[in-house]
Amino acid sequence: MTYHINVIDHEGSPHKIEATVGFSIMEIIRDAGLDIEAICGGCCACATCHCYVDENWLEKISKADDDEESMLDQAMDIKKNSRLSCQIPFTEELNGITLTLAPKF
Ligand code: FES
């Protein structure tokens, strides 16, 4: 069984990316070669992995913890569906999830 996620890049182009359970969404996007900075490497310390989660999928992912919330407070262009993609572990329940990369800052 292969899984995938859908990612809209900074130009608005959609990408269907193969996803592996156990990796974070950020790692999956980065390893596919898309333009995500993820400067801190997934330590919840930079907010450059900021993305917008499609509204239909929001309730399927665990809520942001305090560390993620405080880092999101420092990010630009925050929306109510903003998340740090390094803090979302990919699970089989998220097969087909759609995310949009937030603008770079
Ligand atoms: S990669 Fe730095 S906060 Fe996600």
Side-chain angles (χ1 to χ4, degrees), residues 26 36-50 71 84-87:
M26 176 280 280
I36 188 167
E37 289 185 289
I39 290 169
C40 78
C43 301
C44 197
C46 73
T48 59
C49 64
H50 178 198
M71 193 48 61
L84 297 181
S85 56
C86 72
Q87 299 303 301

Side-chain angles (χ1 to χ4, degrees), residues 21-54:
V21 171
F23 284 78
S24 72
I25 299 275
M26 176 280 280
E27 291 170 318
I28 293 165
I29 296 171
R30 181 191 62 191
D31 293 352
L34 293 194
D35 187 16
I36 188 167
E37 289 185 289
I39 290 169
C40 78
C43 301
C44 197
C46 73
T48 59
C49 64
H50 178 198
C51 65
Y52 306 119
V53 177
D54 183 285

